[in-house]
């Protein structure tokens, strides 16, 4: 197992080293083979690792189905000991399969999408490096090793968002993502310091074991979990650190699919789930997480409803769906959060790649108001995009229905009010997704004649991943069918060794079968009604005025994303700039500079004064000596 895991990690790293070192000289065809097959190899080995883990003898397992091994001693100073260690358990295996499986399909798609780009090999080098850091993050056996992967995916995000670096706006978007993530990362870092101070270790299993002996609600546990959650808020784009994600759509579309839909932005969800033993003992933090997640889900859904850029709509949809994952974590439904993380990786990667197929055919056009009727000339893209839309909207029997329904039921068990707000967000999800689908693929084509002439279905290397992801989006719900289907949830049973210890406490809530059926029926009927409204308004592929539903001022505010970026500019950025100027002018220039320069000037003036003593006249020197002797005598007499 150890060797298999190391090879899984080393394959994408080797791909980065080869492509990064020779990206100018390696032929594009060879670069494509290296860039894609390293991820394919990692995926196949992840399947092998899954098999061996399931069939290992019990003696090789650590408690709770976790196999931990240390590669070498990384840091040792006094009592501080940090080994470079990894953990293999059901949660690790699931994330390995998701990252490498979805990652391979996106890499394969990129061969066609980036074919004409002069930075082809450089792109695959960055993508391979990202997969390496993501794999390191999900296999880490301690918080410091996780933090290496955490920072690594942030670096790769910066490189890939600003991949087309000749455009200054794209560079600004990359810097914005990098800086806003650093805000959250500071919370993660301080949280690690507090973990070591409290438990004397940073390895997962010892920390979780020691935390289990502490009573729930202990202030230090609340502080630790809140600090770690700050890191998750930044990485997973939750309120208030979400504004970087829509701007991150500046990168190539495969980047959006891999980093900002299926993997990196879910790192915060994974980190909270991995640290569930701590969060289960911090009920106040769970409430904060649930409220933050629901608020983000509803807020982002409202904004998505009034956007016209196809990638921006999907970006706000990602923020909203991440909110549902955090809401599930806050309700104690850790399996439900991971389940939705998995299904979301399928259908959101599919939707982003489908959007990329449309953009590719439209010559770079991203405004859905200038599309229309694309299903006639792009049938595969249209059909697979429909599958992703149905899954995200939560219609049965697609994957999104089962994972989202599990979250809503968990929230109702926690608070009917929370369920109400989350259900409202789910209805808006169906409305904005079908609005986008109808405007892009139905009705008449509204682009230019030149675009109409060049419209065509994407090549097979791009449509094949779409078909595979569409099948996963349709059938992914089979991973964890609910009890009312008469079957036992396979994913729940698979993850039971990881979550059963702490989810058996009061953080879980059980509903009667009749309540589940009523809630599910109400939600499903409302979603169907939203789809009918979307069809009535946008089914002809032409957007109608929305003043009948939303007041004009509110609509304009939503179209402007509630001017949150402008608010941050006025309240945060301008305040910091004013403070910087004040400190520069008052403290630095008038205080420190004057003190330093004044000391120098005083020395110069003193030197200019005392230099007149050096006259070169011997008689004057003798006179000064006599005065000195007299001064010494007088001083001795007086004292």
């Amino acid at each position: 197992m150890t060797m298999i895991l190391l090879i899984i990690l080393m394959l994408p790293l080797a791909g980065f080293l080869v492509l990064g070192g020779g990206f100018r000289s390696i032929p594009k065809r060879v670069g494509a083979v290296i860039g894609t097959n390293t991820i394919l190899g990692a995926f196949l080995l992840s399947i092998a690792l899954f098999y061996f883990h399931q069939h290992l003898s019990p003696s090789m397992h650590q408690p709770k189905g976790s196999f931990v091994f240390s590669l070498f001693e990384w840091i040792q100073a006094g009592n501080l000991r940090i080994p470079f260690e990894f953990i293999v358990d059901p949660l690790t295996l699931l994330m390995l399969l998701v990252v490498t499986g979805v990652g391979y399909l996106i890499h394969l798609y990129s061969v066609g999408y980036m074919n004409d780009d002069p930075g082809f090999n450089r792109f695959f080098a960055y993508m391979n490096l990202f997969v390496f850091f993501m794999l390191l993050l999900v296999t880490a056996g301690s918080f410091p090793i996780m933090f290496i992967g955490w920072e690594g995916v942030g670096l790769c995000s910066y490189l890939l968002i600003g991949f087309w670096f000749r455009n200054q706006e794209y560079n600004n978007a990359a810097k914005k993502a990098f800086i806003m993530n650093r805000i959250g990362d500071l919370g993660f870092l301080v949280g690690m310091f507090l973990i070591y101070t409290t438990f004397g270790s940073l390895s997962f299993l010892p920390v979780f074991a020691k935390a289990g002996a502490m009573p729930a609600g202990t202030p230090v546990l609340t502080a630790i979990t809140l600090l770690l959650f700050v890191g998750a808020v930044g990485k997973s784009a939750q309120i208030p650190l979400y504004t970087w994600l829509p701007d991150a759509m500046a990168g190539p579309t495969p980047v959006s699919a891999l980093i900002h839909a299926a993997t990196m932005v879910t790192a915060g969800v994974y980190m909270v789930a991995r640290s569930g033993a701590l969060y289960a003992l911090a009920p106040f933090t769970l409430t904060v997480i649930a409220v933050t997640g629901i608020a983000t889900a509803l807020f982002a859904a409202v904004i998505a409803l009034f956007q016209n850029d196809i990638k921006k709509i999907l970006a706000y949809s990602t923020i909203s769906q991440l909110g549902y994952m955090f809401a599930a974590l806050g309700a104690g439904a850790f399996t439900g959060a991971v389940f939705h993380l998995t299904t979301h990786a399928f259908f959101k990667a599919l939707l982003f790649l489908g959007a990329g197929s449309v953009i590719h055919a439209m010559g770079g056009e991203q405004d859905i108001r200038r599309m229309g009727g694309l299903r006639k000339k792009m049938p595969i893209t249209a059909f697979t995009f429909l599958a992703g839309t149905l899954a995200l909207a939560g219609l049965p029997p697609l994957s999104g229905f089962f994972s989202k329904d599990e979250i809503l039921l968990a929230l109702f068990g926690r608070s009917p009010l929370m369920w109400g707000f989350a259900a409202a967000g789910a209805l808006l999800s169906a409305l904005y997704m079908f609005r986008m689908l109808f405007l892009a693929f139905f009705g008449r084509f509204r682009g230019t004649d030149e675009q109409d002439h060049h419209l065509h279905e994407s090549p097979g290397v791009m449509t094949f991943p779409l078909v595979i992801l569409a099948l996963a989006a349709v059938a992914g719900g089979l991973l964890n069918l609910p009890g009312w289907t008469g079957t036992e949830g396979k994913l729940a049973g698979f993850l039971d060794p990881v979550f059963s210890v702490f989810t058996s406490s009061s953080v879980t809530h059980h509903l009667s079968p009749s309540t589940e059926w009523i809630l599910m029926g109400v939600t499903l009927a409302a979603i169907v009604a939203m789809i009918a409204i979307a069809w009535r308004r946008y089914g002809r592929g032409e957007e109608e005025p929305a003043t009948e539903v939303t007041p004009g001022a509110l609509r304009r505010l939503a179209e402007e994303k509630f001017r949150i970026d402008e608010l941050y500019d006025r309240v945060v950025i301008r305040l910091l700039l004013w403070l910087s100027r004040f400190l520069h002018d008052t403290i630095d220039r008038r205080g420190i500079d004057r003190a330093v320069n004044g000391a120098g000037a005083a020395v110069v003036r003193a030197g200019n004064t005392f230099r007149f003593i050096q006259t070169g006249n011997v008689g004057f020197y003798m006179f000064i000596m006599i005065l000195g002797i007299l001064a010494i005598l007088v001083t001795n007499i007086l004292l």
Side-chain angles (χ1 to χ4, degrees), residues 157 161 173-174 176-178 180-181 233-238 240-251 255-266 296 300 311-323 344 348 352 561 565:
S157 175
I161 294 169
K176 182 177 181 179
F178 193 77
M180 292 198 75
N181 272 269
V233 165
K235 192 68 71 182
S236 295
Q238 297 295 283
L241 301 179
Y242 72 92
T243 56
W244 67 268
L245 183 56
D247 290 357
M249 297 301 107
V255 173
S256 304
L258 179 64
I259 296 183
H260 305 122
T263 51
M264 189 192 92
V265 292
T266 60
T296 303
K311 288 178 67 176
K312 289 288 181 69
I313 296 172
L314 293 176
Y316 281 105
S317 172
T318 298
I319 297 171
S320 181
Q321 297 306 307
L322 289 167
H344 179 263
K348 187 52 67 65
F352 266 114
K561 296 163 279 192
D565 279 307

Side-chain angles (χ1 to χ4, degrees), residues 310-624:
I310 190 170
K311 288 178 67 176
K312 289 288 181 69
I313 296 172
L314 293 176
Y316 281 105
S317 172
T318 298
I319 297 171
S320 181
Q321 297 306 307
L322 289 167
Y324 282 108
M325 298 176 206
F326 279 108
L329 293 170
F334 290 87
T335 299
V338 175
F339 184 28
H340 196 56
L341 182 157
T342 305
T343 60
H344 179 263
F346 296 150
F347 60 70
K348 187 52 67 65
L350 167 62
L351 289 167
F352 266 114
L353 296 186
S357 181
V358 170
I359 295 168
H360 184 265
M362 293 283 295
E365 180 60 65
Q366 297 183 194
D367 194 328
I368 57 176
R369 295 171 297 182
R370 298 188 177 93
M371 299 177 187
L374 299 182
R375 75 183 191 281
K376 299 174 184 177
K377 295 190 177 182
M378 305 180 68
I380 299 177
T381 299
F383 180 77
T384 54
F385 202 92
L386 173 62
T389 301
L390 291 170
L392 193 153
L395 288 179
L398 283 82
S399 60
F401 166 75
F402 295 104
S403 60
K404 195 175 289 187
D405 182 62
E406 186 171 340
I407 293 174
L408 291 175
L409 292 178
L411 288 172
F412 188 86
R414 178 71 183 269
S415 165
L417 183 61
M418 288 185 178
W419 174 85
F421 284 114
L427 302 185
L428 290 177
S429 298
L431 186 57
Y432 68 68
M433 284 305 303
F434 276 91
R435 169 182 176 264
M436 178 173 60
L437 176 75
F438 293 147
L439 288 178
F441 293 97
F442 287 73
R444 60 179 180 81
F445 182 71
R446 299 180 299 279
T448 64
D449 292 337
E450 183 179 357
Q451 289 173 330
D452 189 24
H453 179 71
H454 289 94
L455 276 178
H456 61 281
E457 184 60 89
S458 298
V461 73
M462 294 173 64
T463 55
F464 175 74
L466 294 179
V467 173
I468 299 301
L469 287 169
L471 293 175
V474 171
L478 298 176
L479 291 172
N480 199 47
L481 291 175
W484 55 263
T485 61
T487 60
E488 183 180 352
K490 294 182 179 179
L491 186 63
F494 178 66
L495 295 175
D496 186 67
V498 181
F499 297 139
S500 61
V501 176
F502 50 86
T503 54
S504 60
S505 64
S506 59
V507 298
T508 55
H509 309 272
H510 300 284
L511 302 176
S512 65
S514 59
T515 303
E516 290 186 11
W517 277 102
I518 292 172
L519 294 175
M520 185 173 56
V522 169
T523 305
L524 185 57
I527 289 175
V528 172
M530 289 295 103
I531 296 174
I533 292 173
W535 172 257
R536 181 179 179 182
R537 295 179 59 80
Y538 313 111
R540 293 192 299 273
E542 298 178 3
E543 187 165 16
E544 298 174 2
T547 53
E548 307 164 19
V549 178
T550 310
L554 181 59
R555 177 188 174 95
R556 287 194 299 272
L557 194 60
E559 288 174 347
E560 295 172 354
K561 296 163 279 192
F562 291 99
R563 304 184 67 83
I564 299 298
D565 279 307
E566 290 79 2
L567 177 64
Y568 287 170
D569 180 68
R570 291 179 178 273
V571 175
V572 180
I573 298 177
R574 293 189 183 184
L575 176 62
L576 290 176
L577 289 175
W578 175 86
L579 181 61
S580 299
R581 286 192 293 267
F582 171 78
L583 294 175
H584 174 262
D585 294 338
T586 305
I587 306 298
D588 196 13
R589 294 180 58 185
R590 298 178 184 176
I592 297 174
D593 281 1
R594 284 187 177 182
V596 173
N597 295 336
V603 171
V604 171
R605 285 194 294 269
N608 288 332
T609 301
F610 289 120
R611 71 184 176 87
F612 292 110
I613 297 175
Q614 305 294 329
T615 62
N617 190 319
V618 177
F620 177 74
Y621 293 159
M622 293 181 65
F623 175 71
I624 293 299

Side-chain angles (χ1 to χ4, degrees), residues 1 114 127 172 251 307 309 326 366 470 485 529 585 628-629:
M1 275 185 62
M114 301 295 293
M127 293 280 276
N172 292 338
Q307 299 305 302
D309 185 314
F326 279 108
Q366 297 183 194
T485 61
D585 294 338
I629 293 170

Side-chain angles (χ1 to χ4, degrees), residues 1 3-12 37-55 88-104 131 134-136 138-139 494:
M1 275 185 62
M3 186 56 63
I4 294 176
L5 181 60
L6 290 179
I7 296 175
I8 291 173
L9 290 168
M10 289 302 105
L11 277 174
N37 287 339
T38 52
I39 310 304
L40 176 60
F43 174 62
L44 296 176
L45 287 174
S46 297
I47 296 175
L49 187 65
F50 172 83
Y51 175 81
F52 286 126
H53 181 273
Q54 294 300 101
H55 294 82
V88 178
D89 63 5
L91 182 58
T92 302
L93 294 171
L94 177 65
M95 293 302 296
L96 282 176
L97 292 171
V98 170
V99 172
T100 56
V102 176
Y104 168 67
V131 172
M134 191 67 200
L135 293 177
L136 183 64
V138 300
T139 57
F494 178 66

